[in-house]
Amino acid sequence: MTQLHLWLRHETRTTERRTPVVPSDARRLVESGVTLTVERSPQRIFPIEAYEEAGCRGAEAGSWVSAPPDAVVVGLKELPDEPSELVHRHVFFGHAYKGQPGAAGLLRRFVSGGGALLDLEYLVDDDGRRLAAFGYWAGYLGAALAVLHARGALRTPLEPTSKPQLEAELRASEGELSALVIGALGRSGRGARVALGEAGIEPTCWDLAETRDLDRKALLDHELVVNTVLTTRPIPPFLTDKDLDEPGRRLRMLSDVTVDVGSPMNVLPVYDTTTDWEQPVRRLRERPPLDLIAIDNLPSLLPREASTDFSAALLPPLLDFGHGGPWGRCLERFHQACRERGITDSEFRNV
């Protein structure tokens, strides 16, 4: 069997501080016989020296484009626009299977180059449960930022922090808030509930039972709402523009952790662009005021904690990288997405 070669790429987004593989887990991969090349990255929370000490090879940022054809390129967020043809197998969050803007173009780049997308969002076990996810920390930060903003304690632009520091800020902030977490029993919902608890808030918790026949009046009667629901099929939206204009609306702060903007699966089609670290909050309505937080890389604000947890979950699948199981399902989902969009090629690479 050919030795597995993983290539950990630098993230081009300047606010992306996370990594899918931390140095301690890189060492375990190397010790198991995996060749691991790590690109230098000025923003990654762990320095290149820590990877080199773990037995990894160093490489320049962006050099994955000329990596050996059998290397598997591992990252988190979007690829740069070039090259136009992607010849490698890539492991990252592609956001390309639910009709998102730019999805078809990305898939065509893979097909034209003979590569493949192994999307981390679809790396699941036999029961369909995600094997590695940042959901807990996304929910935690989505709720934490919303509370700090609602209490007038959010400092901008946002900067990476640590969990103890963020906890201290939440405990120091003051002000009564009625809060609702939608999707409260999932990973993200659990994180949101923990952050609200740190702020002294006991939220209303909704999950499947409450969203099947959603009470919009009850939703609008909360001052702060954190949405953590990610759906894979279209469902009735939780809020519409008309709802936001209802008289008597108490809702003042909406934090959308899922950030499925542009997708037909979006349950909050009341905004069309995300917010970011520079301007994390956007005003949706003036009378009465309603603010939005919709940041698509929230866990990068706690990069060390988020990376450590994610890497620990991703390590077992990487150690078992091969044709079948979770990676085989990832590849088939890629093929399916291409077929659904009429993007076909007989030369698909197999994992």
Side-chain angles (χ1 to χ4, degrees):
M1 182 177 178
T2 304
Q3 182 182 35
L4 176 62
H5 185 177
L6 298 177
W7 193 287
L8 185 61
R9 63 176 169 87
H10 157 73
E11 299 287 338
T12 56
R13 189 187 296 205
T14 57
T15 58
E16 189 50 71
R17 309 297 175 88
R18 295 172 294 174
T19 177
V21 181
V22 302
S24 58
D25 291 330
R27 182 182 298 278
R28 291 189 59 186
L29 287 165
V30 171
E31 290 174 348
S32 74
V34 175
T35 298
L36 182 52
T37 299
V38 180
E39 293 186 357
R40 292 174 176 82
S41 177
Q43 67 223 31
R44 188 187 294 128
I45 185 63
F46 297 98
I48 187 65
E49 290 79 10
Y51 290 96
E52 291 174 336
E53 290 172 4
C56 302
R57 303 174 179 178
E60 293 306 310
S63 57
W64 61 266
V65 297
S66 56
D70 62 346
V72 179
V73 182
V74 183
L76 289 175
K77 302 300 286 185
E78 65 274 358
L79 294 172
D81 294 336
E82 295 293 334
S84 60
E85 296 184 352
L86 297 169
V87 302
H88 297 94
R89 291 164 291 175
H90 282 257
V91 175
F92 71 109
F93 291 100
H95 303 299
Y97 297 164
K98 296 191 290 184
Q100 296 98 325
L106 177 63
L107 295 177
R108 287 192 181 94
R109 291 172 66 191
F110 278 109
V111 172
S112 63
L117 168 61
L118 304 177
D119 197 308
L120 285 165
E121 187 175 335
Y122 297 85
L123 184 68
V124 298
D125 63 16
D126 293 342
D127 297 320
R129 182 173 176 80
R130 292 265 297 274
L131 291 175
F134 286 102
Y136 175 89
W137 295 108
Y140 186 97
L141 282 152
L145 298 183
V147 168
L148 292 175
H149 175 70
R151 290 176 170 175
L154 184 64
R155 293 177 294 176
T156 60
L158 302 178
E159 294 182 355
T161 185
S162 66
K163 186 169 180 283
Q165 177 62 35
L166 187 55
E167 287 175 345
E169 292 177 17
L170 287 171
R171 293 167 184 166
S173 64
E174 297 179 351
E176 293 295 323
L177 285 172
S178 58
L180 166 66
V181 177
I182 310 178
L185 300 184
R187 285 190 182 102
S188 296
R190 181 163 56 89
R193 288 186 285 120
V194 170
L196 292 169
E198 293 288 351
I201 298 170
E202 183 66 37
T204 303
C205 296
W206 288 1
D207 209 80
L208 285 174
E210 293 80 8
T211 54
R212 284 195 186 99
D213 186 21
L214 187 137
D215 185 342
R216 287 185 178 83
K217 185 178 183 302
L219 188 158
L220 293 166
D221 202 39
H222 291 83
E223 295 165 291
L224 186 155
V225 170
V226 182
N227 173 58
T228 69
V229 172
L230 179 67
T231 180
T232 56
R233 58 181 178 82
I235 62 174
F238 296 162
L239 285 175
T240 65
D241 284 324
K242 181 181 177 182
D243 297 321
L244 301 189
D245 295 325
E246 284 292 321
R249 166 177 54 82
R250 294 186 65 206
L251 181 62
R252 300 292 185 270
M253 182 71 249
L254 177 61
S255 181
D256 187 12
V257 172
T258 303
V259 193
D260 221 358
V261 61
S263 164
M265 284 73 165
N266 184 12
V267 298
L268 290 174
V270 295
Y271 69 98
D272 57 8
T273 55
T274 61
T275 63
D276 54 35
W277 291 23
E278 288 293 323
Q279 296 180 317
V281 182
R282 177 179 301 127
R283 179 62 53 90
L284 291 182
R285 291 292 188 277
E286 290 291 344
R287 298 181 181 177
L290 171 61
D291 291 331
L292 167 77
I293 292 177
I295 300 171
D296 67 356
N297 68 333
L298 282 167
S300 194
L301 290 163
L302 286 176
R304 186 175 298 274
E305 293 88 344
S307 296
T308 299
D309 285 355
F310 186 87
S311 178
L314 185 61
L315 178 64
L318 288 178
L319 288 170
D320 196 31
F321 191 92
H323 288 276
W327 298 109
R329 285 189 285 268
C330 278
L331 183 63
E332 176 50 38
R333 185 65 186 87
F334 166 68
H335 288 171
Q336 178 187 342
C338 291
R339 289 192 297 267
E340 289 170 351
R341 288 155 183 80
I343 307 169
T344 58
D345 191 309
S346 61
E347 300 301 322
F348 279 130
R349 183 193 301 274
N350 290 319
V351 176

